[in-house]
Amino acid sequence: MRTRRTSILAAAAALSLTGLTAPLAVAQAPAAPAAPDAPSMQLKFFQTPSGNIRCVMYKSGGWGMRCDIYDHYWTAPPQPSCTEGDYGSSVGMKRKKKARFICVSDAIDPGVVVPYGSSITYGPFMCRSRSKGLRCWNEGGHGWFLSRESYQLY
């Protein structure tokens, strides 16, 4: 609680310095009951050196992975029934399941650059970055290869 009170007082002082007024006497709110532990989402963002492929490996209840490729010369297979978002430039997979094209309505943060010739691992996933493209797989042996020129899902 001390950190919260210090933060509130610091914010009030900052407002005062900027010419805005705020009361310096802050009433301390009663402590809220402890909330039960919620499952946390663990994320690992990364990208290829060109920045053309961005990926996220994550754990939120179960394990999953997704990559988006921004510039490519190939066409994805026919679109399944997507209710929202774009299709054809994003692939995803779970811990042991086959990779597939997915519908997405957001973008992946850039994350760390995985240099060509290097690999990155998180949970049940591994990806190898090469100048020819990015190969990723899960513990079930399923995965993908993505490049500007071609793709392969397995």
Side-chain angles (χ1 to χ4, degrees):
M1 189 57 85
R2 179 179 208 132
T3 304
R4 182 171 180 229
R5 186 173 16 168
T6 303
S7 297
I8 292 170
L9 289 174
L15 286 172
S16 177
L17 289 174
T18 61
L20 301 172
T21 58
L24 289 180
V26 178
Q28 189 170 349
D37 289 339
S40 63
M41 179 173 261
Q42 300 167 7
L43 305 165
K44 182 176 254 187
F45 296 96
F46 67 95
Q47 66 179 321
T48 57
S50 69
N52 189 41
I53 303 173
R54 293 182 182 179
C55 302
V56 60
M57 300 169 172
Y58 60 90
K59 182 179 183 187
S60 177
W63 287 96
M65 181 177 177
R66 169 183 152 195
C67 286
D68 296 349
I69 183 165
Y70 295 94
D71 182 30
H72 55 84
Y73 307 128
W74 42 265
T75 302
Q79 175 179 346
S81 58
C82 293
T83 56
E84 66 177 68
D86 297 322
Y87 174 83
S89 295
S90 299
V91 292
M93 65 181 158
K94 299 292 184 187
R95 178 181 207 131
K96 293 183 179 182
K97 297 196 176 192
K98 287 186 176 182
R100 61 187 179 89
F101 280 92
I102 58 175
C103 300
V104 298
S105 59
D106 60 355
I108 297 176
D109 291 338
V112 300
V113 173
V114 179
Y116 296 134
S118 298
S119 297
I120 187 168
T121 303
Y122 188 59
F125 304 108
M126 178 178 251
C127 291
R128 186 171 296 134
S129 175
R130 300 279 191 256
S131 59
K132 292 180 181 181
L134 181 72
R135 182 171 302 279
C136 298
W137 61 94
N138 62 22
E139 68 183 22
H142 304 291
W144 57 70
F145 172 80
L146 295 175
S147 74
R148 276 188 176 88
E149 292 76 28
S150 65
Y151 78 89
Q152 179 186 11
L153 304 182
Y154 54 92

